[in-house]
Amino acid sequence: QVQLVESGGGLVQAGGSLRLSCAASGRTFSSYVMGWFRQAPGKEREFVAAITWITGTTYYGDSVKGRFTISRANAKNTVYLQMNSLKPEDTAVYYCAAQEDYSRPWVYYREPRHYDYWGQGTQVTVSS
């Protein structure tokens, strides 16, 4: 049983930073792609970033490039999302997700429907 547990959300002022964590358990994740998505009220779930566990290759959504960094700690089975220069429009529930095939074209990982497992989400609120 795969479990993904996010933590690290909270309230921060614009321009500040937060680091989200996603602790993964229940499988060997070496062939997986781990993704971060976010969803604001009334909006669709949006791709934020993804990382292939075995190679560490990263992908980013256009709205977060240059501000957010995704990384993983293999020994801890944990994926991180370092968020810098936060803006009010970054306010959303952030979700961690996992899918089993790292061989797809990178645009494949932008779609929430391609992920097999999801965490419960963590709220990030950026005040202006």
Side-chain angles (χ1 to χ4, degrees):
Q1 182 81 10
V2 173
Q3 282 195 317
L4 305 176
V5 180
E6 303 98 333
S7 61
L11 174 64
V12 64
Q13 287 190 330
S17 298
L18 280 175
R19 188 177 81 157
L20 305 183
S21 299
C22 172
S25 62
R27 290 279 170 86
T28 300
F29 291 93
S30 57
S31 65
Y32 277 60
V33 172
M34 306 297 293
W36 283 99
F37 289 80
R38 65 187 183 186
Q39 190 164 18
K43 295 190 176 181
E44 292 188 352
R45 194 161 293 193
E46 176 190 12
F47 172 74
V48 175
I51 186 167
T52 57
W53 206 288
I54 193 168
T55 65
T57 304
T58 57
Y59 315 92
Y60 293 95
D62 291 340
S63 61
V64 306
K65 279 181 184 175
R67 299 188 299 124
F68 290 11
T69 302
I70 189 171
S71 62
R72 84 252 193 261
N74 289 348
K76 297 182 178 180
N77 262 12
T78 300
V79 176
Y80 302 101
L81 184 69
Q82 178 66 44
M83 306 186 294
N84 298 329
S85 302
L86 282 161
K87 305 175 182 180
E89 52 263 43
D90 293 318
T91 295
V93 177
Y94 283 71
Y95 296 92
C96 177
Q99 73 102 265
E100 298 184 50
D101 184 359
Y102 70 93
S103 66
R104 301 282 188 163
W106 72 270
V107 292
Y108 183 87
Y109 305 122
R110 300 174 62 93
E111 297 294 330
R113 60 189 171 92
H114 292 154
Y115 287 77
D116 305 302
Y117 306 100
W118 291 86
Q120 81 288 350
T122 186
Q123 176 71 46
V124 171
T125 303
V126 184
S127 63
S128 57

